[in-house]
Amino acid sequence: MRRSLQSYRKVSVESEISVASPHRIIQMMFEGALQRLAQSRYAIEQNDVTNKGIYIGKAIGIITGLNNSLNMEAGGDIASNLSDLYDFMLRRISEANMNNDVQAIDDVSEILRTIKEGWDAIPSDQHHMASQPEAV
């Protein structure tokens, strides 16, 4: 049953990605990173080393993807500042992993939520402004 549910979720996400705008894909990445951070936090609290590693690894992968999607030329100072924030978040996640530090996970989640709120506030008529996200 669990494997079937996982397969369904994967197909559902893949279907949504195939028709999603670049703006929506970034929103999904933010959502995914926040979910993985919450799962990491729970795993730390439960002393579940295996799942802690899995979920922290996935959060790192998503945040690295967000950082790599920045257009440093077109994004200017905003892209540079976001890149610095993503680097900071990756360091804090690594600290959380090494020290079982839920506060570090909470710090990263708070920063990520703030960036996501800004991204979500972009009016829909401006989502098509570029074929790739300028400064995520």
Side-chain angles (χ1 to χ4, degrees), residues 27-37 39 58-59 62:
Q27 284 178 316
M28 292 172 68
M29 290 175 75
F30 284 132
E31 292 163 4
L34 288 166
Q35 287 175 345
R36 298 312 166 261
L37 289 169
Q39 291 167 320
K58 289 181 180 192
I62 294 169

Side-chain angles (χ1 to χ4, degrees), residues 116-136:
K116 182 183 180 310
E117 288 170 6
W119 189 255
D120 290 345
I122 297 172
S124 60
D125 64 338
Q126 294 182 14
H127 291 185
H128 69 283
M129 299 292 285
S131 61
Q132 284 189 305
E134 294 297 323
V136 182

Side-chain angles (χ1 to χ4, degrees), residues 9 53 72 75 109 128:
R9 285 183 185 151
M72 300 307 282
S109 295
H128 69 283

Side-chain angles (χ1 to χ4, degrees), residues 50-70:
T50 301
N51 281 321
K52 176 187 83 167
I54 290 169
Y55 294 126
I56 283 179
K58 289 181 180 192
I60 286 171
I62 294 169
I63 292 170
T64 299
L66 287 165
N67 198 7
N68 291 340
S69 73
L70 295 171

Side-chain angles (χ1 to χ4, degrees), residues 16-28 127-128 131:
E16 187 173 354
I17 288 172
S18 70
V19 297
S21 69
H23 185 272
R24 178 65 187 132
I25 290 171
I26 298 299
Q27 284 178 316
M28 292 172 68
H127 291 185
H128 69 283
S131 61

Side-chain angles (χ1 to χ4, degrees), residues 1-14 39 51 54-55 58:
M1 175 74 171
R2 182 174 171 90
R3 199 172 288 277
S4 297
L5 184 57
Q6 288 173 335
S7 294
Y8 173 77
R9 285 183 185 151
K10 183 177 180 187
V11 169
S12 178
V13 169
E14 288 173 359
Q39 291 167 320
N51 281 321
I54 290 169
Y55 294 126
K58 289 181 180 192

Side-chain angles (χ1 to χ4, degrees), residues 71-92:
N71 183 333
M72 300 307 282
E73 290 178 24
D77 287 342
I78 294 172
S80 178
N81 291 339
L82 283 169
S83 182
D84 290 345
L85 279 172
Y86 291 137
D87 287 342
F88 172 78
M89 286 187 263
L90 292 170
R91 284 192 306 274
R92 288 295 284 158

